[in-house]
């Protein structure tokens, strides 16, 4: 099958679309990716890619469209979104060949689906939007008010884009509620949660040294509410046996480092961003993983990809989070959650975790739930069935 994947982000940027594209090639599909110039998360286009417009990466044909780097401000981020939508739409017009399916691996922004719509009209083939972020709700986490004109405009654009699809794939079950009840989108929808990379399935258990090490790994943005972890750490800084390890980067990292410094949190360590190949080292440090999101109804529909990685590692998850993720952790019986942004109750849950005796049972439950619901084999079997249909 000849598949055109549209996504603003691709290798060397670290997103699951990379591994999915490479695996589809291994399975015999002809895969082309239309993407932008790498600049995530630091916001600056990498020098070595400024002049590159075509690559072959692990058998995937990669076409890169010009864009403005994300930068550090809302203005440059807006220009980043618009520049990719325009330049990649023009690039579609130059693409030659035939495609059987057009898939938009839709992260933020939803405008990355615009070149997919152009491709649908040009090649006269079905357009699938694989939704991993909800729009317009994603802009709310950036401070945009839902009662303002900007939100209303983005909502209208988002609805028009989703309505151009022939089918929508959902990374989270609760996305269907949002599309049906709020955006009034009437399209065929299929639930297709992602899997974790293979390297996360071989994390060794941590030897008991009397301390409890908690690891957060991933993007440190406004939506992730990592400050909730820091405030919980402040509640527990009298405990000299509980430590917080934060691995990643993002728009809120500086703010979180300032909070650590102002609160004099000696129990928190920031490690910055690292290649995915290095992540098993940090995962092996964990007695349990942490996950947080902002207290926002629509954002709570999201199931962050780190949940699958945490479960694949076979360790408990402690969260200050609502919605889909809280439900998954409860169904798996692999950890404990409290309401989003409730740092005091998160601190209480962490202390509760340090005192329980059945940590091994939580580990097993986490791994078992992953194998039964999110494994790579299950994902690609489901994907193949959907593609055939």
């Amino acid at each position: 099958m000849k598949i055109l994947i549209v996504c603003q982000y691709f290798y060397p940027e670290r997103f699951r679309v990379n591994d999915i594209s490479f695996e589809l090639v291994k399975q015999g599909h002809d895969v082309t990716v239309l993407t932008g110039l790498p600049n995530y998360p630091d916001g600056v286009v990498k020098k070595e890619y400024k002049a590159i417009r075509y690559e072959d990466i692990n058998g995937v044909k990669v076409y890169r469209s010009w864009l403005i780097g994300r930068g550090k401000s809302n203005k440059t981020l807006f220009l980043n979104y618009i520049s990719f939508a325009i330049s990649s739409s023009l690039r579609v017009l130059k693409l030659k060949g035939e495609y059987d399916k057009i898939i938009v691996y839709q992260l933020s922004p939803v405008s990355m689906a615009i070149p997919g719509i152009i491709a649908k009209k040009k090649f006269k083939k079905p357009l699938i939007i694989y939704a991993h972020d909800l729009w317009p709700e994603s802009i709310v986490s950036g401070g945009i008010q839902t009662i303002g004109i900007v939100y209303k405009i983005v909502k209208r654009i988002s609805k028009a884009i989703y309505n151009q699809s022939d089918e929508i794939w959902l990374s989270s079950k609760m996305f269907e509620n949002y599309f049906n009840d709020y955006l009034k989108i009437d399209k065929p929808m299929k639930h297709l949660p992602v899997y974790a990379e293979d390297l996360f399935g071989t994390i060794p258990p941590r030897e008991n040294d009397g301390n409890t090490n908690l690891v957060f790994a991933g993007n440190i943005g406004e939506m992730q509410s990592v400050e909730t972890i820091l405030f919980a750490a402040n509640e527990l800084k009298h405990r000299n046996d509980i430590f917080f390890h934060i691995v990643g980067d993002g728009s809120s990292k500086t703010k979180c480092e300032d909070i650590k410094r102002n609160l004099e949190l000696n129990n928190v360590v920031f490690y910055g961003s690292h290649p995915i190949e290095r992540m098993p080292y940090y995962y092996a440090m964990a007695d349990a993983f942490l996950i947080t999101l902002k207290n926002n109804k629509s954002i709570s529909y999201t199931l962050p990809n780190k949940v699958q990685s945490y479960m694949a590692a076979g360790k408990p998850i402690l969260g200050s989070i609502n919605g889909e993720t809280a439900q998954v952790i409860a169904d798996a019986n692999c950890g404990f959650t409290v309401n989003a942004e409730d740092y005091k109750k998160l601190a209480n849950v962490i202390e509760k975790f340090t005192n329980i005796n059945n940590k091994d049972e939580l580990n097993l439950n986490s791994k078992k739930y992953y194998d039964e619901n999110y494994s790579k084999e299950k994902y690609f079997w489901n994907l193949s069935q959907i593609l055939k249909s």
Side-chain angles (χ1 to χ4, degrees), residues 4-9 32-36 61-65 84 87-89 91-92 95 115-116:
L4 173 62
I5 297 176
V6 180
C7 184
Q8 186 166 331
Y9 314 99
T32 299
V33 170
L34 177 61
T35 188
K61 296 184 283 292
V62 181
Y63 291 92
R64 296 192 181 275
S65 299
F84 175 78
S87 64
S88 56
S89 294
R91 190 61 184 265
V92 166
L95 283 181

Side-chain angles (χ1 to χ4, degrees), residues 199-230:
L199 53 82
F200 291 111
T202 57
I203 306 298
R206 203 181 80 82
E207 294 184 8
N208 184 10
D209 60 1
N211 293 328
T212 298
N213 288 281
L214 307 170
V215 173
F216 172 94
N219 185 43
I220 306 174
E222 189 69 24
M223 185 176 72
Q224 282 72 35
S225 189
V226 174
E227 56 267 34
T228 300
I229 296 173
L230 299 176

